[in-house]
Amino acid sequence: AKFGRVSSDGTPYPLFSYTGLVPWTLFATGLSLSVNSVAANMNLVKKIYFPREVFPMGAVMGCFVDFLVASTLVGGLMAVYRFPVSVQFLWLPWLMAIEVGFLVSIALIASAMNVFYRDVKYLVPLGVQLWMFITPVIYPVSKVPEALRPWYLLNPMAVVVDGVRRVVLHGQPPELQPLLVATGRVLLLGVTAYGYFKRVEVKFADLI
């Protein structure tokens, strides 16, 4: 099936596009809301000591609730187009764990950097828009040249969106190698991001 000139790998385009937009919207909205979360709570940061990572993580978790609501609409579209639920849906928690871990990691780094460099909150929305073009939100991974695909799938969000589509639309498991690579990279990034955030948070009260 195609919408205009955009391929949807043989599936109805509304369902194809929505299964990409739901996880992408979680990432884009979560990152956009979390980047200024520490700086926007300057009074609390100055007056009370508590783990400052609750601000970016809280912003992400708030967006995750919206994601769960939006996901129910995917179920509605599946019913309309008579797409069955398969055992492959058991892969979805792993895929979403990769996305949330990746999102929290980027949110920790960006929110901390925004305390020191206030232009970060303006650069993040631009970066998110550009990021969308290297993530298969409005097109399938099959349209990426095969020679470039291993590099393309180094983007954890590409692995997540493609994996969700494989599971939901085709009843297939995600590609295992990119999934394992993305998991390892997100775990490493998470440790690095948290370490960076905790190292610099002691300076927040002096700079805000």
Side-chain angles (χ1 to χ4, degrees):
K2 292 187 177 182
F3 183 82
R5 295 188 177 184
V6 180
S7 170
S8 57
D9 276 353
T11 59
Y13 191 77
L15 184 55
F16 172 87
S17 60
Y18 200 64
T19 51
L21 283 171
V22 169
W24 176 256
T25 300
L26 167 62
F27 178 77
T29 306
L31 189 53
S32 296
L33 291 179
S34 62
V35 64
N36 198 42
S37 59
V38 176
N41 289 280
M42 62 179 74
N43 291 331
L44 288 175
V45 171
K46 286 182 176 181
K47 294 178 181 178
I48 308 170
Y49 177 77
F50 55 91
R52 275 65 178 228
E53 60 268 28
V54 301
F55 293 123
M57 293 177 72
V60 169
M61 290 304 105
C63 293
F64 190 74
V65 173
D66 294 337
F67 163 81
L68 293 177
V69 174
S71 296
T72 62
L73 298 179
V74 175
L77 284 173
M78 289 180 67
V80 168
Y81 290 107
R82 298 181 180 179
F83 274 68
V85 175
S86 75
V87 70
Q88 304 299 340
F89 273 55
L90 294 174
W91 289 96
L92 291 177
W94 187 350
L95 290 165
M96 296 321 302
I98 292 174
E99 173 166 4
V100 172
F102 185 52
L103 173 54
V104 168
S105 301
I106 300 296
L108 287 171
I109 295 171
S111 61
M113 290 183 64
N114 186 61
V115 174
F116 301 99
Y117 312 102
R118 294 303 180 87
D119 289 340
V120 170
K121 64 177 177 287
Y122 303 115
L123 295 175
V124 164
L126 176 60
V128 167
Q129 289 182 3
L130 295 175
W131 206 323
M132 185 174 176
F133 290 106
I134 59 169
T135 303
V137 178
I138 59 174
Y139 59 87
V141 170
S142 60
K143 290 299 178 184
V144 178
E146 195 166 342
L148 298 177
R149 216 168 289 170
W151 299 99
Y152 180 84
L153 290 174
L154 290 177
N155 170 14
M157 284 306 300
V159 175
V160 169
V161 173
D162 181 57
V164 169
R165 285 209 177 106
R166 285 174 177 269
V167 167
V168 174
L169 302 182
H170 305 293
Q172 300 173 353
E175 286 192 72
L176 188 57
Q177 183 176 353
L179 187 69
L180 292 173
V181 171
T183 301
R185 294 177 71 238
V186 166
L187 286 172
L188 180 60
L189 178 62
V191 171
T192 303
Y194 186 74
Y196 168 73
F197 189 94
K198 298 305 287 184
R199 188 170 67 251
V200 301
E201 73 169 346
V202 296
K203 303 176 183 178
F204 287 171
D206 298 331
L207 293 172
I208 294 178

